[in-house]
Amino acid sequence: MKASEQRRVTVKDVAEAAGVGVATVSRVLTGTGSASAATRERVLAAAARLDYRPSALGRNLRRRHTGGIGLLVPDITDTFYARLADGVLACAKSAGEPVILGTTGDDPEREAELIGSLLEESVERVIAVPCGDGEMWGPAFRAGLGVVFAEREVPGRNLPSVRADDRAGVRTAVEYLAGLGHRRIALLARHGQEQRVRAFREALAELGVPVDEELIVLARGTRDSAYAAAAGLLQRRPDVTAVLAGGNMLGEATVLAARELVIRIPRDVSLVMFDDVPWAELCSPPLTVISQPAHDIGYRAAELVLRERGRPRTVTLPTELIVRASCGPRR
Amino acid sequence: MKASEQRRVTVKDVAEAAGVGVATVSRVLTGTGSASAATRERVLAAAARLDYRPSALGRNLRRRHTGGIGLLVPDITDTFYARLADGVLACAKSAGEPVILGTTGDDPEREAELIGSLLEESVERVIAVPCGDGEMWGPAFRAGLGVVFAEREVPGRNLPSVRADDRAGVRTAVEYLAGLGHRRIALLARHGQEQRVRAFREALAELGVPVDEELIVLARGTRDSAYAAAAGLLQRRPDVTAVLAGGNMLGEATVLAARELVIRIPRDVSLVMFDDVPWAELCSPPLTVISQPAHDIGYRAAELVLRERGRPRTVTLPTELIVRASCGPRR
DNA sequence: ATCCATGATGGAATCGTTTCCATGAAGGCG
DNA sequence: CGCCTTCATGGAAACGATTCCATCATGGAT
């Protein structure tokens, strides 16, 4: 008692039913070329009657590329990237394009694999939060792939990208903390956030605060790595009075590590976290954050990759300091 | 100075380079059929030399279906679904399959659209958190689609699904609250969580607590809707002493609404939240939760849809009560 | 009345792969 | 030595759409 195999309705069936040639059917359905009103109507009626849905397979082969957008993020579990993905999906939806999601785990090798796999599928539009250097994107460009980078850019080349204004965000946070009297400010960042590290150094320099390299610590994109980085920093340097966390996972890790070490926020150390997330307000204490328009980043990136093929553009979106209760004066 | 269009390397090129026919190349590369060792080597060498990557387009058309897995979730921004998606991605990665992500927003119409679009792409495997009734899945089955439902099931038909043990989870939570002396326990649930509502009724009945229909309130899947539901409940019925939130967004909304209304947790009302999320521990107070294996649900669903085509199976994964500090004795 | 431009139309080629089938060679067995 | 099986191999068909091109009809302009 197996399900009866159902043959797919093809353009040929529609042509036959409408008494015209396949070329005419295609022309009517795609809206290209000309056809008389009577014919158009007959074709449309036949297509509707047979419940015809053109197969993307045939079309793709003929056109030699797949529709749709490839989306590469480090970790979909990180709400920042989830919101970014949501923005991409929102824009893709209005364009009727499917989205192929892949997670790199911030591993350049995995990233290269995913690029290869997208190439194999002949996907021609990709939005990526890059983690490798520019090298691995070579084959992609050579294959004519349209790429827009999000949140980060690859150094060297000048390629379209959509990013939050890291420089301004970091500067605002640092100035805010400095204004509270802090001098030994630490930065917790992910690999790939070199832009923020650079901005951090600059901001300190401008304020005349010497940069202490030991207070800049990098973590990989996992929860464990973030916790290790935060706990390590707090233990190694009990003299830090403020921490700037470069992402919500690092902020979370800092809160956790501080509790574990019985370091009170904000009495013992102040904390500013990059990226506003719903729980920042629920946290004890509510976290002061630099909010980033994650959704918009994704949406704009999708717009760029869909509508502005070829024209390399860089979009920078503003960040905002939201003061809550995780910062106090220097102890 | 435009980039030179690069012609794709095809099986024909490889055949020519290796001095064999296209059929032989295909046989060697796919591992089907027979070929002499010498030929195999020549083909492999030629393919490597030309950096040949078979186009998925041709293969898909010939095979009449696309590889890959369609994944339909209500909202990728909800960490539960993000973790579920992560599980699917993990399994898909090991199988080398791409994942096409779509969000339904718990809207049956949008769900139907997405199904249609997947059908058009000839995707043949789908993992979905269904929101509509069984109706709209009809065309999908008729087209021979392999579907595995996650987190929820559609009523009526007996179809493969992977779910957390809602019944046990709800019962555990209700028994825990009842054990603390609570009698007026409210349930905040999403549409689509009827299973949990049913379990809630049963659990109360078994404990001899009359069910008060006004204490069961349903919300849609947005933050706003969740907040409205929580705030509405708390205002309308100041006599509730405990709330069971059917998901992390509802839990979040409950904490927020309670603060707004100056209702203290757990002194004034106790809260148990479905789904353990990282911030539950960071929250003030730390939230008592029913944890769900979101990642595993996704992973198992992917396993099912990849390896067990046709064999309808239902997998139920255990939940766990994690006691933190959001519940107290009846006031 | 003739000619040309325009529009409608369908046949056939094309995209890149897999797979069916026919062919030829080689080897084992009686 | 001849026959049959097995293996290796390549040509060609198939998948389902789009699109090039040739054909034919129509109608306006000269």
Side-chain angles (χ1 to χ4, degrees):
Chain A
M1 191 135 58
K2 58 175 294 190
S4 65
E5 277 308 319
Q6 191 119 342
R7 206 177 63 79
R8 192 181 179 104
V9 177
T10 76
V11 66
K12 211 171 160 187
D13 299 317
V14 177
E16 205 164 324
V20 299
V22 290
T24 304
V25 173
S26 178
R27 252 168 310 185
V28 169
L29 261 25
T30 60
T32 61
S34 54
S36 73
T39 312
R40 189 189 322 281
E41 203 153 330
R42 278 222 312 289
V43 169
L44 257 21
R49 181 152 34 87
L50 297 179
D51 190 28
Y52 169 67
R53 307 197 58 126
S55 157
L57 262 35
R59 184 191 358 250
N60 289 345
L61 179 56
R62 176 65 223 234
R63 296 222 176 121
R64 283 146 82 167
H65 67 81
T66 307
I69 303 175
L71 173 60
L72 266 35
V73 297
D75 176 10
I76 194 64
T77 274
D78 183 326
T79 62
F80 175 77
Y81 297 118
R83 283 179 293 146
L84 191 153
D86 199 48
V88 172
L89 286 166
C91 185
K93 168 189 168 184
S94 63
E97 300 276 6
V99 171
I100 299 176
L101 174 66
T103 49
T104 63
D106 260 335
D107 174 10
E109 207 164 316
R110 175 79 187 126
E111 180 174 76
E113 261 178 52
L114 283 165
I115 296 170
S117 139
L118 288 174
L119 245 31
E120 204 162 299
E121 304 271 336
S122 300
V123 171
E124 56 159 13
R125 289 184 285 247
V126 172
I127 295 169
V129 177
C131 54
D133 46 8
E135 293 311 308
M136 57 201 9
W137 289 96
F141 295 129
R142 246 170 288 135
L145 209 62
V147 180
V148 171
F149 292 118
E151 199 217 357
R152 309 176 189 165
E153 28 185 28
V154 306
R157 326 175 180 238
N158 179 28
L159 295 165
S161 70
V162 180
R163 300 173 37 242
D165 192 342
D166 283 338
R167 178 182 305 273
V170 169
R171 169 178 319 219
T172 306
V174 170
E175 281 173 359
Y176 174 69
L177 288 170
L180 288 168
H182 295 281
R183 285 297 173 273
R184 283 189 299 283
I185 303 172
L187 173 68
L188 283 170
R190 274 173 89 139
H191 283 109
Q193 295 184 330
E194 281 72 23
Q195 178 82 7
R196 287 184 191 166
V197 176
R198 228 171 304 136
F200 183 69
R201 287 210 174 87
E202 287 173 19
L204 286 182
E206 270 178 44
L207 291 167
V209 179
V211 341
D212 180 343
E213 288 300 333
E214 213 190 4
L215 295 188
I216 299 179
V217 359
L218 294 183
R220 265 174 301 109
T222 64
R223 283 216 148 65
D224 290 346
S225 171
Y227 184 83
L233 170 72
L234 260 23
Q235 276 180 304
R236 209 167 48 240
R237 293 294 298 264
D239 60 320
V240 286
T241 67
V243 173
L244 173 56
N248 67 68
M249 248 161 141
L250 286 159
E252 180 192 316
T254 306
V255 175
L256 241 33
R259 282 199 196 163
E260 198 66 31
L261 299 167
V262 199
I263 294 172
R264 276 160 306 179
I265 298 174
R267 241 195 66 170
D268 300 331
V269 345
S270 292
L271 174 62
V272 175
M273 176 169 86
F274 242 87
D275 195 28
D276 191 20
V277 293
W279 60 262
E281 205 177 341
L282 269 35
C283 186
S284 167
L287 264 32
T288 293
V289 299
I290 303 287
S291 79
Q292 305 178 95
H295 186 95
D296 289 351
I297 293 178
Y299 196 96
R300 298 294 300 273
E303 272 186 340
L304 236 53
V305 86
L306 283 172
R307 300 201 236 295
E308 316 225 1
R309 282 297 313 261
R311 216 173 329 165
R313 268 229 302 166
T314 293
V315 177
T316 305
L317 267 21
T319 60
E320 189 189 354
L321 174 70
I322 299 178
V323 176
R324 290 201 265 254
S326 62
C327 296
R330 169 169 60 158
R331 93 196 113 160
Chain B
M1 191 134 61
K2 59 175 293 191
S4 64
E5 278 306 320
Q6 192 120 341
R7 206 177 61 79
R8 193 182 179 104
V9 178
T10 76
V11 66
K12 211 170 159 187
D13 300 317
V14 177
E16 206 164 321
V20 298
V22 290
T24 305
V25 172
S26 177
R27 250 168 300 169
V28 169
L29 259 26
T30 59
T32 60
S34 54
S36 73
T39 310
R40 189 188 322 279
E41 203 153 330
R42 277 221 313 288
V43 170
L44 258 20
R49 181 151 34 87
L50 298 179
D51 190 28
Y52 170 66
R53 306 197 58 125
S55 156
L57 262 34
R59 184 191 358 251
N60 289 344
L61 178 56
R62 176 64 223 231
R63 296 223 176 122
R64 285 146 79 166
H65 66 81
T66 306
I69 304 175
L71 173 60
L72 266 35
V73 297
D75 177 11
I76 195 63
T77 273
D78 183 326
T79 63
F80 175 78
Y81 297 118
R83 283 179 293 146
L84 191 153
D86 199 48
V88 172
L89 285 166
C91 185
K93 168 189 167 183
S94 63
E97 300 277 5
V99 170
I100 299 176
L101 174 66
T103 49
T104 62
D106 260 335
D107 173 10
E109 206 164 315
R110 175 80 186 126
E111 180 173 75
E113 262 178 52
L114 283 165
I115 296 170
S117 138
L118 288 174
L119 245 32
E120 206 162 296
E121 303 271 335
S122 301
V123 171
E124 57 158 13
R125 288 184 285 246
V126 172
I127 295 169
V129 177
C131 55
D133 47 7
E135 293 312 306
M136 59 202 7
W137 290 96
F141 296 128
R142 246 171 288 134
L145 208 62
V147 180
V148 171
F149 292 118
E151 200 217 358
R152 309 175 189 164
E153 28 185 27
V154 306
R157 326 177 179 236
N158 179 27
L159 295 165
S161 71
V162 180
R163 300 175 36 244
D165 192 341
D166 283 337
R167 177 183 305 274
V170 170
R171 170 180 316 221
T172 306
V174 170
E175 281 173 358
Y176 173 68
L177 288 169
L180 287 167
H182 295 281
R183 285 297 173 271
R184 283 189 299 283
I185 304 172
L187 173 68
L188 283 170
R190 272 173 90 138
H191 282 110
Q193 296 184 329
E194 282 72 24
Q195 179 81 8
R196 288 185 190 164
V197 176
R198 226 172 304 136
F200 183 70
R201 286 210 175 86
E202 287 174 18
L204 286 182
E206 270 179 44
L207 291 166
V209 178
V211 340
D212 180 342
E213 288 300 332
E214 212 191 4
L215 295 189
I216 298 179
V217 359
L218 294 182
R220 265 173 302 110
T222 64
R223 284 216 147 64
D224 290 346
S225 170
Y227 183 83
L233 170 73
L234 259 24
Q235 276 180 301
R236 207 167 50 241
R237 293 292 299 262
D239 60 318
V240 286
T241 67
V243 173
L244 173 55
N248 66 68
M249 249 166 154
L250 287 159
E252 181 192 316
T254 306
V255 174
L256 241 32
R259 281 199 196 164
E260 198 67 31
L261 299 168
V262 199
I263 294 173
R264 275 161 306 179
I265 298 175
R267 242 196 67 170
D268 299 332
V269 346
S270 293
L271 173 63
V272 174
M273 176 170 85
F274 242 86
D275 194 27
D276 190 21
V277 293
W279 61 262
E281 205 177 341
L282 267 36
C283 186
S284 168
L287 263 33
T288 294
V289 300
I290 302 288
S291 79
Q292 305 179 94
H295 185 93
D296 288 352
I297 292 178
Y299 196 95
R300 297 294 300 273
E303 273 186 340
L304 236 53
V305 86
L306 283 173
R307 299 202 236 294
E308 316 226 359
R309 283 296 314 260
R311 216 174 328 168
R313 267 228 302 166
T314 294
V315 176
T316 305
L317 266 23
T319 61
E320 190 188 351
L321 174 71
I322 299 179
V323 176
R324 291 201 264 253
S326 62
C327 296
R330 170 168 60 158
R331 90 195 116 161

